[in-house]
């Protein structure tokens, strides 16, 4: 089907109307410049446009906080508290209460730490502490089991997550078992030590069942690590409402971790 001139004009008119009513339209001026208006930039998911305030703030950090205050900036410039302070601001986008999100390390490092932690939690029976004493579905969290030796991974996962899961498996004496995301709930069993799932399929944009998958896994005493890199800040996530204990996402390129 070919688009006619009339169709194109109607689409442009509709787009202009939507732009006019967009509550975020005035934000564009904060990112203007640097050639942003010269192209249709479609890679904002990988590296967003530069905010006008960033160059000046970076210069202040380098020249004053680092150059003049030096080691005093850990206290006087709030460097010590920055991961938690920024994490709380990000947490509002994720439906997470204050004190549950920190920013730091890379996404890969945080996914690795979260998966290893999930395995240890499942084996030690610590899931009750992770989700407040009950599974997301309302049943009691079960005790740990040293025989848990499988890490279930979304079969369509972002490739890096798969490599990281393999490394975590080697460290913890587990094996990785790829399972279609929609089938993970039924695949969780007595041998499952952890589950790693992408909230969004990066190839198709399909949204996974965050609440349902978490509830089923937690009811079996198994922690779930959610990769939010393609949903955090773009879609409603509501981690606390769904009882999510472990999640990793990117700001870009620093990483955030929810516990």
């Amino acid at each position: 089907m070919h688009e006619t001139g009339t169709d194109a004009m109607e689409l442009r008119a509709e787009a202009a109307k939507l732009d006019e009513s967009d509550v975020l339209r005035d934000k564009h001026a904060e990112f203007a410049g640097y050639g942003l208006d010269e192209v249709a930039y479609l890679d904002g998911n990988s590296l967003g446009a530069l905010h006008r305030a960033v160059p000046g703030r970076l210069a202040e950090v380098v020249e004053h906080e680092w150059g003049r205050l030096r080691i005093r900036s850990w206290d006087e410039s709030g460097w010590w508290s920055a991961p938690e302070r920024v994490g709380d601001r990000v947490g509002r986008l994720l439906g997470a209460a204050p004190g549950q999100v920190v920013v730091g390390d890379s996404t890969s490092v945080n996914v690795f730490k979260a998966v290893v932690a999930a395995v240890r939690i499942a084996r030690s029976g610590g899931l009750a502490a992770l989700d407040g004493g009950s599974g997301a579905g309302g049943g009691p969290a079960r005790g740990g089991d040293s025989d848990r030796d499988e890490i279930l991974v979304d079969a369509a996962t972002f490739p890096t997550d798969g490599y990281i899961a393999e490394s975590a498996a080697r460290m913890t004496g587990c094996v990785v078992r790829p399972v279609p995301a929609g089938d993970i709930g039924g695949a969780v069993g007595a041998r499952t030590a952890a589950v790693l799932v992408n909230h969004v399929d990066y190839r198709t944009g399909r949204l996974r069942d965050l609440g349902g998958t978490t509830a089923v896994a937690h009811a079996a005493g198994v922690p779930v690590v959610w990769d939010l890199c393609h949903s955090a800040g773009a879609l409603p996530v509501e981690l606390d409402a769904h009882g999510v204990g472990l999640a990793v996402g990117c700001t870009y390129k620093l990483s955030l971790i929810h516990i």
Side-chain angles (χ1 to χ4, degrees):
M1 179 180 293
H2 296 284
E3 185 182 78
T4 67
T6 301
D7 291 335
M9 291 177 61
E10 290 178 351
L11 286 173
R12 291 193 185 96
E14 179 64 19
K17 181 180 179 181
L18 291 172
D19 284 344
E20 286 296 324
S21 62
D22 187 351
V23 296
L24 297 177
R25 68 186 305 268
D26 292 337
K27 286 290 183 181
H28 180 273
E30 298 178 20
F31 295 87
Y34 305 103
L36 187 63
D37 292 324
E38 300 171 8
V39 296
Y41 186 61
L42 301 179
D43 204 22
N45 64 298
S46 183
L47 190 62
L50 179 66
H51 193 282
R52 285 183 177 275
V54 169
R57 179 65 180 121
L58 284 177
E60 180 184 2
V61 170
V62 172
E63 295 174 9
H64 178 67
E65 295 183 10
W66 179 6
R68 293 183 174 84
L69 296 181
R70 293 182 290 279
I71 199 169
R72 290 162 53 194
S73 273
W74 287 103
D75 291 318
E76 295 182 25
S77 300
W79 287 2
W80 281 121
S81 61
E84 293 86 0
R85 187 174 66 251
V86 177
D88 283 347
R89 296 183 68 177
V90 174
R92 296 199 295 267
L93 301 175
L94 308 176
Q100 294 184 317
V101 177
V102 293
V103 177
D105 286 328
S106 69
T107 301
S108 298
V109 169
N110 279 338
V111 170
F112 178 81
K113 291 190 294 186
V115 173
V116 171
V119 172
R120 292 175 177 171
I121 288 168
R123 287 176 172 172
S124 67
L127 184 59
L130 183 65
D131 69 1
S134 66
R142 300 178 183 177
D145 187 344
S146 60
D147 292 331
R148 292 185 182 275
D149 62 356
E150 286 188 344
I151 299 174
L152 302 186
V153 176
D154 179 354
T157 190
F158 194 80
T160 307
D161 283 12
Y163 305 146
I164 294 168
E166 291 283 359
S167 294
R170 286 194 296 270
M171 173 176 278
T172 57
C174 291
V175 295
V176 172
R177 180 183 167 197
V179 179
D183 298 334
I184 284 178
V188 172
R191 293 183 57 187
T192 309
V195 177
L196 174 60
V197 197
N198 291 102
H199 191 202
V200 173
D201 186 320
Y202 75 101
R203 303 165 307 169
T204 66
R206 184 170 183 177
L207 188 64
R208 305 305 186 189
D209 184 1
L210 185 143
T213 301
T214 300
V216 171
H218 280 202
V222 180
V224 183
V225 178
W226 284 95
D227 184 330
L228 307 178
C229 287
H230 296 90
S231 60
L235 299 170
V237 179
E238 299 301 329
L239 297 180
D240 286 352
H242 292 299
V244 175
L246 295 166
V248 176
C250 56
T251 56
Y252 208 88
K253 280 281 193 179
L254 287 178
S255 180
L256 56 96
I257 185 167
H258 169 267
I259 299 176

